[in-house]
Amino acid sequence: MKNLFSIVLIAAFAIANAQETANRFFYELTYAPNKDSLEKKNKEMTILDITKDKSIYRDYLAVSQDSILKVEVEAMQKAGTFKDLSKSVKQPKFSHIITKTYPSMDVSYADYILQDKVSYKDDKPLDWKISSDKAKIGEYNTQKATASFGGRNWIAWFATDVPFQDGPYKFKGLPGLIVKVEDDAKNYSWELKGNKKIADYNAESYSEKLMKQFGQGRNNLEVNREKFEQMYAAYKKDPFGSIRSQLSQIPADAKMPDGTSMSQMMRDAEDRIKKQLSENSNSIEVTAASEKVKSKK
């Protein structure tokens, strides 16, 4: 009996400490970054990670460089030196992270506004109109649905054979996984390109953990949609506005461990952020900034 009790305890401990698993779906995003030049298209790989209680959508670049980043950081720590990683690690074109909680499918949109990770709840429903039209997309047999969302008209193709009522970005609510979705003017188009199982899944990437150590994203602020839009607009106008007074206190001769001027490094960082924020003038949701969204903080 004692041995049996021990086995039960060990099994319970193993279950409690088991790593979370996830189904990772890879979506190729084709989009027009400039609203005045819709012919020019960019491509990015995005991912939708689905676990038993949620899904997380983001730019694949946000997690694909984790192993490289970890090696670089550990090498710096071991050698006791400093290296500007901005030259070897690319920044994702899209920094937002969208979480859908199961089974309610509540949507949380989060993005980094300098040192804070700011999020809002999006409770706008998607009123899909399911059509009888069917198509083969890659290896999937899909069915067509349409909906208006964020000021655009969207066409989605979903596969009932894949039992997830989910999809890329904020898209959800169809009786099967969304394999392809695009607006009727083809400003934005997501198409499923592959999937894999992740046995030891961690929702927080190594880069996110590292950013927290340096103060970025350490504060999680939840606001309403209107407040988020205001904060993000101010951030785009002046990325370092909220810490401008702190930056002015940096001595002119202050240097990083490798001899790099601290003031110059901050100016370079600000220029990179400004460039990144200005590269996309064609938002996914064209009505988002003008809508008055009434929700509780």
Side-chain angles (χ1 to χ4, degrees), residues 225-273:
R225 177 69 176 271
E226 185 178 0
K227 178 64 176 177
F228 177 90
E229 297 292 348
Q230 292 171 353
M231 292 174 69
Y232 202 79
Y235 174 56
K236 289 182 70 174
K237 186 176 181 180
D238 184 6
F240 281 9
S242 62
I243 60 169
R244 187 73 59 195
S245 60
Q246 299 172 41
L247 294 179
S248 64
Q249 297 173 21
I250 298 176
D253 59 349
K255 296 186 182 301
M256 298 299 292
D258 66 343
T260 303
S261 166
M262 189 177 291
S263 296
Q264 185 60 52
M265 191 181 76
M266 296 305 293
R267 284 194 294 270
D268 290 345
E270 185 174 15
D271 289 342
R272 283 196 301 271
I273 294 172

mmCIF file of all heavy atoms in Angstrom, residues 225-273:
data_model
loop_
_atom_site.group_PDB
_atom_site.id
_atom_site.type_symbol
_atom_site.label_atom_id
_atom_site.label_comp_id
_atom_site.label_asym_id
_atom_site.label_seq_id
_atom_site.Cartn_x
_atom_site.Cartn_y
_atom_site.Cartn_z
ATOM 1 N N ARG A 225 -9.962 50.270 -25.545
ATOM 2 C CA ARG A 225 -9.465 50.399 -26.922
ATOM 3 C C ARG A 225 -9.147 51.852 -27.282
ATOM 4 O O ARG A 225 -8.120 52.145 -27.906
ATOM 5 C CB ARG A 225 -10.508 49.827 -27.886
ATOM 6 C CG ARG A 225 -10.171 49.953 -29.382
ATOM 7 C CD ARG A 225 -9.021 49.069 -29.775
ATOM 8 N NE ARG A 225 -8.759 49.120 -31.205
ATOM 9 C CZ ARG A 225 -9.331 48.326 -32.106
ATOM 10 N NH1 ARG A 225 -10.217 47.418 -31.728
ATOM 11 N NH2 ARG A 225 -9.020 48.416 -33.382
ATOM 12 N N GLU A 226 -10.018 52.749 -26.883
ATOM 13 C CA GLU A 226 -9.815 54.163 -27.220
ATOM 14 C C GLU A 226 -8.532 54.701 -26.583
ATOM 15 O O GLU A 226 -7.745 55.395 -27.230
ATOM 16 C CB GLU A 226 -11.018 54.986 -26.754
ATOM 17 C CG GLU A 226 -10.940 56.453 -27.168
ATOM 18 C CD GLU A 226 -12.170 57.232 -26.748
ATOM 19 O OE1 GLU A 226 -13.085 56.631 -26.143
ATOM 20 O OE2 GLU A 226 -12.220 58.445 -27.020
ATOM 21 N N LYS A 227 -8.290 54.342 -25.325
ATOM 22 C CA LYS A 227 -7.082 54.785 -24.630
ATOM 23 C C LYS A 227 -5.842 54.193 -25.291
ATOM 24 O O LYS A 227 -4.817 54.875 -25.445
ATOM 25 C CB LYS A 227 -7.153 54.365 -23.162
ATOM 26 C CG LYS A 227 -5.918 54.721 -22.329
ATOM 27 C CD LYS A 227 -5.710 56.229 -22.227
ATOM 28 C CE LYS A 227 -4.542 56.557 -21.313
ATOM 29 N NZ LYS A 227 -4.273 58.011 -21.240
ATOM 30 N N PHE A 228 -5.932 52.928 -25.696
ATOM 31 C CA PHE A 228 -4.796 52.286 -26.372
ATOM 32 C C PHE A 228 -4.441 53.050 -27.647
ATOM 33 O O PHE A 228 -3.270 53.317 -27.924
ATOM 34 C CB PHE A 228 -5.128 50.835 -26.707
ATOM 35 C CG PHE A 228 -4.041 50.129 -27.472
ATOM 36 C CD1 PHE A 228 -3.040 49.438 -26.804
ATOM 37 C CD2 PHE A 228 -3.991 50.176 -28.865
ATOM 38 C CE1 PHE A 228 -2.018 48.809 -27.498
ATOM 39 C CE2 PHE A 228 -2.983 49.547 -29.569
ATOM 40 C CZ PHE A 228 -1.997 48.862 -28.882
ATOM 41 N N GLU A 229 -5.456 53.383 -28.435
ATOM 42 C CA GLU A 229 -5.211 54.102 -29.688
ATOM 43 C C GLU A 229 -4.544 55.449 -29.431
ATOM 44 O O GLU A 229 -3.649 55.867 -30.174
ATOM 45 C CB GLU A 229 -6.527 54.304 -30.447
ATOM 46 C CG GLU A 229 -7.224 53.030 -30.885
ATOM 47 C CD GLU A 229 -6.468 52.273 -31.971
ATOM 48 O OE1 GLU A 229 -5.514 52.838 -32.544
ATOM 49 O OE2 GLU A 229 -6.821 51.116 -32.231
ATOM 50 N N GLN A 230 -4.968 56.127 -28.380
ATOM 51 C CA GLN A 230 -4.374 57.418 -28.026
ATOM 52 C C GLN A 230 -2.908 57.247 -27.637
ATOM 53 O O GLN A 230 -2.040 58.019 -28.067
ATOM 54 C CB GLN A 230 -5.161 58.061 -26.884
ATOM 55 C CG GLN A 230 -6.563 58.505 -27.253
ATOM 56 C CD GLN A 230 -7.380 58.928 -26.039
ATOM 57 O OE1 GLN A 230 -6.942 58.774 -24.886
ATOM 58 N NE2 GLN A 230 -8.573 59.443 -26.274
ATOM 59 N N MET A 231 -2.637 56.231 -26.819
ATOM 60 C CA MET A 231 -1.269 55.982 -26.369
ATOM 61 C C MET A 231 -0.361 55.604 -27.535
ATOM 62 O O MET A 231 0.783 56.063 -27.634
ATOM 63 C CB MET A 231 -1.256 54.862 -25.314
ATOM 64 C CG MET A 231 -1.913 55.224 -24.006
ATOM 65 S SD MET A 231 -2.016 53.819 -22.848
ATOM 66 C CE MET A 231 -0.269 53.597 -22.431
ATOM 67 N N TYR A 232 -0.889 54.794 -28.441
ATOM 68 C CA TYR A 232 -0.064 54.344 -29.557
ATOM 69 C C TYR A 232 0.205 55.480 -30.542
ATOM 70 O O TYR A 232 1.296 55.579 -31.115
ATOM 71 C CB TYR A 232 -0.730 53.168 -30.270
ATOM 72 C CG TYR A 232 0.255 52.327 -31.044
ATOM 73 C CD1 TYR A 232 1.050 51.394 -30.388
ATOM 74 C CD2 TYR A 232 0.417 52.471 -32.418
ATOM 75 C CE1 TYR A 232 1.980 50.624 -31.071
ATOM 76 C CE2 TYR A 232 1.335 51.707 -33.106
ATOM 77 C CZ TYR A 232 2.116 50.788 -32.432
ATOM 78 O OH TYR A 232 3.035 50.035 -33.113
ATOM 79 N N ALA A 233 -0.795 56.339 -30.739
ATOM 80 C CA ALA A 233 -0.610 57.493 -31.626
ATOM 81 C C ALA A 233 0.472 58.427 -31.078
ATOM 82 O O ALA A 233 1.315 58.932 -31.828
ATOM 83 C CB ALA A 233 -1.928 58.239 -31.789
ATOM 84 N N ALA A 234 0.469 58.646 -29.752
ATOM 85 C CA ALA A 234 1.493 59.490 -29.120
ATOM 86 C C ALA A 234 2.868 58.834 -29.230
ATOM 87 O O ALA A 234 3.878 59.516 -29.449
ATOM 88 C CB ALA A 234 1.133 59.723 -27.656
ATOM 89 N N TYR A 235 2.901 57.521 -29.110
ATOM 90 C CA TYR A 235 4.155 56.760 -29.223
ATOM 91 C C TYR A 235 4.734 56.885 -30.629
ATOM 92 O O TYR A 235 5.945 57.091 -30.808
ATOM 93 C CB TYR A 235 3.867 55.308 -28.870
ATOM 94 C CG TYR A 235 5.018 54.356 -29.065
ATOM 95 C CD1 TYR A 235 6.244 54.554 -28.445
ATOM 96 C CD2 TYR A 235 4.855 53.216 -29.869
ATOM 97 C CE1 TYR A 235 7.294 53.650 -28.620
ATOM 98 C CE2 TYR A 235 5.897 52.314 -30.041
ATOM 99 C CZ TYR A 235 7.116 52.544 -29.416
ATOM 100 O OH TYR A 235 8.145 51.652 -29.601
ATOM 101 N N LYS A 236 3.889 56.783 -31.654
ATOM 102 C CA LYS A 236 4.355 56.906 -33.032
ATOM 103 C C LYS A 236 4.890 58.313 -33.305
ATOM 104 O O LYS A 236 5.863 58.486 -34.034
ATOM 105 C CB LYS A 236 3.221 56.584 -34.010
ATOM 106 C CG LYS A 236 2.843 55.112 -34.055
ATOM 107 C CD LYS A 236 1.763 54.842 -35.076
ATOM 108 C CE LYS A 236 2.281 55.005 -36.504
ATOM 109 N NZ LYS A 236 1.273 54.605 -37.497
ATOM 110 N N LYS A 237 4.263 59.292 -32.706
ATOM 111 C CA LYS A 237 4.689 60.686 -32.914
ATOM 112 C C LYS A 237 6.021 60.967 -32.239
ATOM 113 O O LYS A 237 6.892 61.654 -32.790
ATOM 114 C CB LYS A 237 3.607 61.634 -32.374
ATOM 115 C CG LYS A 237 3.874 63.094 -32.660
ATOM 116 C CD LYS A 237 2.716 63.953 -32.179
ATOM 117 C CE LYS A 237 2.971 65.425 -32.489
ATOM 118 N NZ LYS A 237 1.842 66.273 -32.027
ATOM 119 N N ASP A 238 6.211 60.434 -31.028
ATOM 120 C CA ASP A 238 7.451 60.656 -30.278
ATOM 121 C C ASP A 238 7.747 59.401 -29.464
ATOM 122 O O ASP A 238 7.341 59.298 -28.307
ATOM 123 C CB ASP A 238 7.299 61.875 -29.362
ATOM 124 C CG ASP A 238 8.589 62.220 -28.626
ATOM 125 O OD1 ASP A 238 9.636 61.590 -28.917
ATOM 126 O OD2 ASP A 238 8.558 63.115 -27.759
ATOM 127 N N PRO A 239 8.462 58.413 -30.047
ATOM 128 C CA PRO A 239 8.677 57.124 -29.395
ATOM 129 C C PRO A 239 9.285 57.213 -27.999
ATOM 130 O O PRO A 239 8.959 56.402 -27.131
ATOM 131 C CB PRO A 239 9.627 56.394 -30.361
ATOM 132 C CG PRO A 239 9.357 57.005 -31.683
ATOM 133 C CD PRO A 239 9.054 58.445 -31.387
ATOM 134 N N PHE A 240 10.182 58.161 -27.765
ATOM 135 C CA PHE A 240 10.834 58.274 -26.465
ATOM 136 C C PHE A 240 10.245 59.396 -25.610
ATOM 137 O O PHE A 240 10.843 59.818 -24.632
ATOM 138 C CB PHE A 240 12.335 58.512 -26.645
ATOM 139 C CG PHE A 240 13.127 57.263 -26.971
ATOM 140 C CD1 PHE A 240 12.483 56.071 -27.268
ATOM 141 C CD2 PHE A 240 14.502 57.277 -26.981
ATOM 142 C CE1 PHE A 240 13.189 54.923 -27.572
ATOM 143 C CE2 PHE A 240 15.235 56.128 -27.285
ATOM 144 C CZ PHE A 240 14.572 54.951 -27.576
ATOM 145 N N GLY A 241 9.059 59.849 -25.980
ATOM 146 C CA GLY A 241 8.449 60.982 -25.282
ATOM 147 C C GLY A 241 8.282 60.765 -23.794
ATOM 148 O O GLY A 241 8.535 61.679 -22.990
ATOM 149 N N SER A 242 7.878 59.543 -23.402
ATOM 150 C CA SER A 242 7.600 59.280 -21.990
ATOM 151 C C SER A 242 8.859 59.214 -21.134
ATOM 152 O O SER A 242 8.781 59.294 -19.910
ATOM 153 C CB SER A 242 6.805 57.972 -21.843
ATOM 154 O OG SER A 242 7.554 56.869 -22.332
ATOM 155 N N ILE A 243 10.033 59.043 -21.764
ATOM 156 C CA ILE A 243 11.282 58.985 -20.984
ATOM 157 C C ILE A 243 12.261 60.077 -21.427
ATOM 158 O O ILE A 243 13.451 59.996 -21.131
ATOM 159 C CB ILE A 243 11.956 57.599 -21.119
ATOM 160 C CG1 ILE A 243 12.303 57.302 -22.576
ATOM 161 C CG2 ILE A 243 11.086 56.518 -20.519
ATOM 162 C CD1 ILE A 243 13.194 56.076 -22.746
ATOM 163 N N ARG A 244 11.733 61.076 -22.139
ATOM 164 C CA ARG A 244 12.605 62.138 -22.650
ATOM 165 C C ARG A 244 13.376 62.836 -21.530
ATOM 166 O O ARG A 244 14.576 63.105 -21.658
ATOM 167 C CB ARG A 244 11.752 63.163 -23.422
ATOM 168 C CG ARG A 244 12.540 64.251 -24.151
ATOM 169 C CD ARG A 244 13.236 63.730 -25.380
ATOM 170 N NE ARG A 244 12.320 63.156 -26.343
ATOM 171 C CZ ARG A 244 12.710 62.391 -27.353
ATOM 172 N NH1 ARG A 244 13.988 62.074 -27.486
ATOM 173 N NH2 ARG A 244 11.830 61.909 -28.199
ATOM 174 N N SER A 245 12.703 63.094 -20.420
ATOM 175 C CA SER A 245 13.360 63.795 -19.307
ATOM 176 C C SER A 245 14.469 62.933 -18.698
ATOM 177 O O SER A 245 15.504 63.451 -18.281
ATOM 178 C CB SER A 245 12.335 64.171 -18.230
ATOM 179 O OG SER A 245 11.694 63.019 -17.718
ATOM 180 N N GLN A 246 14.256 61.614 -18.655
ATOM 181 C CA GLN A 246 15.283 60.712 -18.121
ATOM 182 C C GLN A 246 16.505 60.659 -19.034
ATOM 183 O O GLN A 246 17.646 60.630 -18.572
ATOM 184 C CB GLN A 246 14.706 59.300 -17.959
ATOM 185 C CG GLN A 246 13.528 59.212 -16.996
ATOM 186 C CD GLN A 246 12.876 57.844 -17.013
ATOM 187 O OE1 GLN A 246 13.550 56.824 -17.059
ATOM 188 N NE2 GLN A 246 11.548 57.818 -16.984
ATOM 189 N N LEU A 247 16.256 60.669 -20.348
ATOM 190 C CA LEU A 247 17.356 60.622 -21.309
ATOM 191 C C LEU A 247 18.232 61.866 -21.228
ATOM 192 O O LEU A 247 19.450 61.803 -21.433
ATOM 193 C CB LEU A 247 16.812 60.466 -22.737
ATOM 194 C CG LEU A 247 16.098 59.156 -23.062
ATOM 195 C CD1 LEU A 247 15.589 59.167 -24.496
ATOM 196 C CD2 LEU A 247 17.018 57.962 -22.849
ATOM 197 N N SER A 248 17.595 62.993 -20.916
ATOM 198 C CA SER A 248 18.347 64.250 -20.847
ATOM 199 C C SER A 248 19.332 64.259 -19.674
ATOM 200 O O SER A 248 20.252 65.080 -19.638
ATOM 201 C CB SER A 248 17.379 65.439 -20.723
ATOM 202 O OG SER A 248 16.658 65.365 -19.490
ATOM 203 N N GLN A 249 19.141 63.335 -18.732
ATOM 204 C CA GLN A 249 20.029 63.279 -17.563
ATOM 205 C C GLN A 249 21.266 62.407 -17.796
ATOM 206 O O GLN A 249 22.144 62.344 -16.946
ATOM 207 C CB GLN A 249 19.249 62.747 -16.356
ATOM 208 C CG GLN A 249 18.093 63.661 -15.929
ATOM 209 C CD GLN A 249 17.241 63.038 -14.840
ATOM 210 O OE1 GLN A 249 17.682 62.140 -14.130
ATOM 211 N NE2 GLN A 249 16.006 63.504 -14.690
ATOM 212 N N ILE A 250 21.328 61.729 -18.958
ATOM 213 C CA ILE A 250 22.496 60.909 -19.264
ATOM 214 C C ILE A 250 23.686 61.817 -19.562
ATOM 215 O O ILE A 250 23.599 62.687 -20.443
ATOM 216 C CB ILE A 250 22.228 59.998 -20.485
ATOM 217 C CG1 ILE A 250 21.079 59.026 -20.194
ATOM 218 C CG2 ILE A 250 23.497 59.224 -20.872
ATOM 219 C CD1 ILE A 250 20.681 58.170 -21.372
ATOM 220 N N PRO A 251 24.786 61.670 -18.842
ATOM 221 C CA PRO A 251 25.966 62.518 -19.093
ATOM 222 C C PRO A 251 26.441 62.377 -20.530
ATOM 223 O O PRO A 251 26.390 61.291 -21.113
ATOM 224 C CB PRO A 251 27.010 61.962 -18.112
ATOM 225 C CG PRO A 251 26.211 61.282 -17.053
ATOM 226 C CD PRO A 251 25.001 60.725 -17.741
ATOM 227 N N ALA A 252 26.883 63.479 -21.110
ATOM 228 C CA ALA A 252 27.295 63.488 -22.509
ATOM 229 C C ALA A 252 28.436 62.515 -22.783
ATOM 230 O O ALA A 252 28.559 61.979 -23.889
ATOM 231 C CB ALA A 252 27.705 64.899 -22.918
ATOM 232 N N ASP A 253 29.267 62.271 -21.766
ATOM 233 C CA ASP A 253 30.424 61.391 -21.971
ATOM 234 C C ASP A 253 30.173 59.952 -21.479
ATOM 235 O O ASP A 253 31.105 59.145 -21.431
ATOM 236 C CB ASP A 253 31.657 61.959 -21.268
ATOM 237 C CG ASP A 253 31.432 62.136 -19.763
ATOM 238 O OD1 ASP A 253 30.263 62.008 -19.322
ATOM 239 O OD2 ASP A 253 32.409 62.410 -19.055
ATOM 240 N N ALA A 254 28.928 59.623 -21.114
ATOM 241 C CA ALA A 254 28.620 58.272 -20.635
ATOM 242 C C ALA A 254 28.790 57.254 -21.758
ATOM 243 O O ALA A 254 28.376 57.495 -22.907
ATOM 244 C CB ALA A 254 27.191 58.221 -20.098
ATOM 245 N N LYS A 255 29.428 56.138 -21.433
ATOM 246 C CA LYS A 255 29.695 55.131 -22.454
ATOM 247 C C LYS A 255 29.255 53.743 -21.982
ATOM 248 O O LYS A 255 29.227 53.459 -20.792
ATOM 249 C CB LYS A 255 31.191 55.106 -22.804
ATOM 250 C CG LYS A 255 31.685 56.397 -23.440
ATOM 251 C CD LYS A 255 33.110 56.275 -23.902
ATOM 252 C CE LYS A 255 33.624 57.586 -24.498
ATOM 253 N NZ LYS A 255 32.820 58.030 -25.649
ATOM 254 N N MET A 256 28.938 52.896 -22.948
ATOM 255 C CA MET A 256 28.616 51.499 -22.682
ATOM 256 C C MET A 256 29.927 50.744 -22.445
ATOM 257 O O MET A 256 31.009 51.270 -22.733
ATOM 258 C CB MET A 256 27.856 50.896 -23.865
ATOM 259 C CG MET A 256 26.523 51.575 -24.148
ATOM 260 S SD MET A 256 25.363 51.459 -22.771
ATOM 261 C CE MET A 256 25.005 49.693 -22.776
ATOM 262 N N PRO A 257 29.852 49.498 -21.907
ATOM 263 C CA PRO A 257 31.082 48.737 -21.628
ATOM 264 C C PRO A 257 32.006 48.560 -22.822
ATOM 265 O O PRO A 257 33.216 48.410 -22.658
ATOM 266 C CB PRO A 257 30.539 47.386 -21.153
ATOM 267 C CG PRO A 257 29.221 47.713 -20.555
ATOM 268 C CD PRO A 257 28.661 48.802 -21.408
ATOM 269 N N ASP A 258 31.456 48.583 -24.055
ATOM 270 C CA ASP A 258 32.309 48.407 -25.228
ATOM 271 C C ASP A 258 32.856 49.727 -25.770
ATOM 272 O O ASP A 258 33.502 49.758 -26.815
ATOM 273 C CB ASP A 258 31.565 47.672 -26.343
ATOM 274 C CG ASP A 258 30.401 48.496 -26.912
ATOM 275 O OD1 ASP A 258 29.987 49.469 -26.243
ATOM 276 O OD2 ASP A 258 29.917 48.160 -28.008
ATOM 277 N N GLY A 259 32.569 50.825 -25.035
ATOM 278 C CA GLY A 259 33.071 52.124 -25.457
ATOM 279 C C GLY A 259 32.095 52.932 -26.289
ATOM 280 O O GLY A 259 32.346 54.097 -26.609
ATOM 281 N N THR A 260 30.957 52.326 -26.655
ATOM 282 C CA THR A 260 29.950 53.033 -27.441
ATOM 283 C C THR A 260 29.319 54.152 -26.618
ATOM 284 O O THR A 260 29.012 53.972 -25.438
ATOM 285 C CB THR A 260 28.837 52.066 -27.899
ATOM 286 O OG1 THR A 260 29.414 50.999 -28.630
ATOM 287 C CG2 THR A 260 27.808 52.782 -28.764
ATOM 288 N N SER A 261 29.140 55.304 -27.232
ATOM 289 C CA SER A 261 28.483 56.422 -26.563
ATOM 290 C C SER A 261 27.044 56.043 -26.225
ATOM 291 O O SER A 261 26.279 55.614 -27.098
ATOM 292 C CB SER A 261 28.488 57.654 -27.469
ATOM 293 O OG SER A 261 27.592 58.632 -26.991
ATOM 294 N N MET A 262 26.669 56.182 -24.951
ATOM 295 C CA MET A 262 25.320 55.827 -24.530
ATOM 296 C C MET A 262 24.278 56.725 -25.205
ATOM 297 O O MET A 262 23.223 56.259 -25.641
ATOM 298 C CB MET A 262 25.199 55.923 -23.010
ATOM 299 C CG MET A 262 23.885 55.372 -22.474
ATOM 300 S SD MET A 262 23.773 55.419 -20.670
ATOM 301 C CE MET A 262 24.986 54.185 -20.238
ATOM 302 N N SER A 263 24.595 58.016 -25.295
ATOM 303 C CA SER A 263 23.670 58.953 -25.935
ATOM 304 C C SER A 263 23.465 58.601 -27.403
ATOM 305 O O SER A 263 22.335 58.635 -27.914
ATOM 306 C CB SER A 263 24.198 60.388 -25.829
ATOM 307 O OG SER A 263 24.261 60.793 -24.485
ATOM 308 N N GLN A 264 24.549 58.242 -28.086
ATOM 309 C CA GLN A 264 24.454 57.877 -29.498
ATOM 310 C C GLN A 264 23.658 56.590 -29.669
ATOM 311 O O GLN A 264 22.862 56.453 -30.599
ATOM 312 C CB GLN A 264 25.850 57.703 -30.099
ATOM 313 C CG GLN A 264 25.854 57.436 -31.604
ATOM 314 C CD GLN A 264 25.205 58.557 -32.397
ATOM 315 O OE1 GLN A 264 25.558 59.734 -32.230
ATOM 316 N NE2 GLN A 264 24.243 58.219 -33.239
ATOM 317 N N MET A 265 23.864 55.649 -28.769
ATOM 318 C CA MET A 265 23.140 54.385 -28.845
ATOM 319 C C MET A 265 21.637 54.616 -28.682
ATOM 320 O O MET A 265 20.827 54.003 -29.385
ATOM 321 C CB MET A 265 23.630 53.419 -27.772
ATOM 322 C CG MET A 265 23.116 51.996 -27.973
ATOM 323 S SD MET A 265 23.675 50.836 -26.698
ATOM 324 C CE MET A 265 22.615 51.309 -25.339
ATOM 325 N N MET A 266 21.254 55.512 -27.766
ATOM 326 C CA MET A 266 19.838 55.817 -27.569
ATOM 327 C C MET A 266 19.258 56.532 -28.780
ATOM 328 O O MET A 266 18.115 56.283 -29.176
ATOM 329 C CB MET A 266 19.663 56.663 -26.303
ATOM 330 C CG MET A 266 20.072 55.957 -25.014
ATOM 331 S SD MET A 266 19.226 54.377 -24.754
ATOM 332 C CE MET A 266 17.547 54.915 -24.507
ATOM 333 N N ARG A 267 20.052 57.419 -29.400
ATOM 334 C CA ARG A 267 19.572 58.104 -30.606
ATOM 335 C C ARG A 267 19.376 57.106 -31.744
ATOM 336 O O ARG A 267 18.388 57.183 -32.491
ATOM 337 C CB ARG A 267 20.559 59.195 -31.030
ATOM 338 C CG ARG A 267 20.506 60.451 -30.164
ATOM 339 C CD ARG A 267 21.241 61.610 -30.816
ATOM 340 N NE ARG A 267 22.674 61.365 -30.905
ATOM 341 C CZ ARG A 267 23.543 61.707 -29.951
ATOM 342 N NH1 ARG A 267 23.110 62.290 -28.848
ATOM 343 N NH2 ARG A 267 24.829 61.464 -30.113
ATOM 344 N N ASP A 268 20.304 56.159 -31.856
ATOM 345 C CA ASP A 268 20.174 55.137 -32.897
ATOM 346 C C ASP A 268 18.944 54.268 -32.653
ATOM 347 O O ASP A 268 18.225 53.909 -33.596
ATOM 348 C CB ASP A 268 21.423 54.250 -32.920
ATOM 349 C CG ASP A 268 22.659 54.980 -33.427
ATOM 350 O OD1 ASP A 268 22.492 56.064 -34.019
ATOM 351 O OD2 ASP A 268 23.787 54.484 -33.206
ATOM 352 N N ALA A 269 18.702 53.933 -31.382
ATOM 353 C CA ALA A 269 17.539 53.117 -31.032
ATOM 354 C C ALA A 269 16.242 53.854 -31.373
ATOM 355 O O ALA A 269 15.294 53.262 -31.907
ATOM 356 C CB ALA A 269 17.575 52.765 -29.550
ATOM 357 N N GLU A 270 16.213 55.145 -31.081
ATOM 358 C CA GLU A 270 15.021 55.946 -31.386
ATOM 359 C C GLU A 270 14.791 56.015 -32.887
ATOM 360 O O GLU A 270 13.655 55.907 -33.357
ATOM 361 C CB GLU A 270 15.159 57.347 -30.804
ATOM 362 C CG GLU A 270 13.899 58.193 -30.990
ATOM 363 C CD GLU A 270 13.985 59.540 -30.285
ATOM 364 O OE1 GLU A 270 15.100 59.945 -29.901
ATOM 365 O OE2 GLU A 270 12.925 60.175 -30.119
ATOM 366 N N ASP A 271 15.867 56.173 -33.653
ATOM 367 C CA ASP A 271 15.746 56.226 -35.118
ATOM 368 C C ASP A 271 15.209 54.912 -35.668
ATOM 369 O O ASP A 271 14.396 54.907 -36.593
ATOM 370 C CB ASP A 271 17.104 56.551 -35.759
ATOM 371 C CG ASP A 271 17.538 57.990 -35.524
ATOM 372 O OD1 ASP A 271 16.668 58.814 -35.185
ATOM 373 O OD2 ASP A 271 18.744 58.281 -35.692
ATOM 374 N N ARG A 272 15.660 53.787 -35.099
ATOM 375 C CA ARG A 272 15.182 52.482 -35.556
ATOM 376 C C ARG A 272 13.690 52.316 -35.277
ATOM 377 O O ARG A 272 12.945 51.812 -36.116
ATOM 378 C CB ARG A 272 15.962 51.357 -34.861
ATOM 379 C CG ARG A 272 17.344 51.115 -35.413
ATOM 380 C CD ARG A 272 17.908 49.773 -34.963
ATOM 381 N NE ARG A 272 17.983 49.654 -33.508
ATOM 382 C CZ ARG A 272 19.032 50.032 -32.783
ATOM 383 N NH1 ARG A 272 20.092 50.563 -33.378
ATOM 384 N NH2 ARG A 272 19.037 49.874 -31.469
ATOM 385 N N ILE A 273 13.263 52.762 -34.095
ATOM 386 C CA ILE A 273 11.849 52.651 -33.739
ATOM 387 C C ILE A 273 10.994 53.522 -34.650
ATOM 388 O O ILE A 273 9.947 53.095 -35.149
ATOM 389 C CB ILE A 273 11.625 53.027 -32.261
ATOM 390 C CG1 ILE A 273 12.294 52.002 -31.340
ATOM 391 C CG2 ILE A 273 10.129 53.106 -31.942
ATOM 392 C CD1 ILE A 273 12.290 52.383 -29.873
#
